[in-house]
Amino acid sequence: MGGTGGLAPGLDLRDALVACATVGHARVTSAIATDVLRRLRTEIERGPFRPFGESFGEVRQQIDGYDVPVPASGFSALTALCRDLRDAVRSQGRDVRGLASWAPNEVGVAHYIPGSIGITPHKDGKWYRRMVVVATVYGRAPFAICGSRDPRDIVERWIVGPGDLVLMRGPGLASARDGRPFHLVEGPRRGERLSLGIRMSARPPSG
């Protein structure tokens, strides 16, 4: 599976999808083709970046970015990646309750600069159903799954790099009422980092 709209040819997501459903998270390395990463970078860097607020509730962040509803004109590479990922997840995750109809309809673009705090432990919104996939377009930085809001309460920690995916459980996956993991992302040690939060949003459109 994969290779038609952005995923690496022959990509096998089956074990990661089962892990996401059972333990709440999984990582897949080198999941996006290199030429697709280049197209994504060119396309996304033309977008309307804006600074995000530095705090909401107990969470602190230093990020800029924007959201893209998909499919979206002007974002052909991003739209194709979401379509390819949807098809791979539905096919390879058909035995996991909730994935047969997973359909990402929104992508959150996030840009991190060196020395930023990134974003402290948090859960993604309840309106992001079944699964959230975080894809790194360029740059490297620590990404950790946490057991609580305490940043020292690390369950698993990776250095994510270009083409890597992190899968996280959302409400409705494998009949879980919630199941969202706390997670944090640090700013890159060197250079910048651009990531995509690919999600199935049940939140009504703003405006």
Side-chain angles (χ1 to χ4, degrees):
M1 297 297 296
T4 60
L7 297 181
L11 182 66
D12 189 342
L13 296 173
R14 288 172 293 184
D15 289 347
L17 293 171
V18 170
C20 184
T22 55
V23 301
H25 59 272
R27 178 197 185 195
V28 182
T29 60
S30 303
I32 303 174
T34 302
D35 62 322
V36 174
L37 293 174
R38 288 194 294 266
R39 292 200 299 272
L40 286 168
R41 179 171 185 166
T42 299
E43 187 173 276
I44 290 165
E45 287 186 340
R46 296 195 297 257
F49 285 90
R50 59 176 178 78
F52 293 168
E54 287 219 358
S55 65
F56 55 98
E58 300 177 61
V59 181
R60 295 182 62 228
Q61 62 181 1
Q62 291 176 335
I63 309 170
D64 61 320
Y66 57 97
D67 291 340
V68 181
V70 288
S73 60
F75 291 90
S76 59
L78 188 60
T79 296
L81 174 63
C82 290
R83 182 179 62 243
D84 202 29
L85 184 60
R86 177 202 66 195
D87 292 348
V89 166
R90 287 182 172 189
S91 173
Q92 299 182 33
R94 58 184 175 271
D95 294 330
V96 178
R97 187 175 180 86
L99 291 184
S101 57
W102 184 71
N105 59 5
E106 180 183 290
V107 176
V109 175
H111 174 242
Y112 302 77
I113 62 172
S116 75
I117 61 172
I119 181 166
T120 60
H122 66 287
K123 293 182 177 182
D124 291 326
K126 288 183 178 180
W127 50 87
Y128 299 135
R129 300 303 173 86
R130 301 179 192 166
M131 184 173 66
V132 171
V133 178
V134 177
T136 299
V137 177
Y138 63 79
R140 297 181 185 276
F143 191 116
I145 303 296
C146 301
S148 66
R149 288 196 185 277
D150 184 346
R152 300 165 296 182
D153 185 10
I154 301 296
V155 174
E156 191 148 12
R157 183 178 183 272
W158 310 286
I159 302 297
V160 293
D164 290 357
L165 306 179
V166 175
L167 282 54
M168 291 182 290
R169 183 172 54 202
L173 182 61
S175 301
R177 185 172 180 179
D178 193 331
R180 296 168 296 150
F182 283 102
H183 56 285
L184 66 82
V185 186
E186 298 179 24
R189 306 288 170 81
R190 295 185 299 275
E192 302 178 12
R193 176 173 177 265
L194 185 74
S195 69
L196 310 172
I198 300 170
R199 52 223 188 187
M200 178 176 169
S201 177
R203 180 171 52 179
S206 59

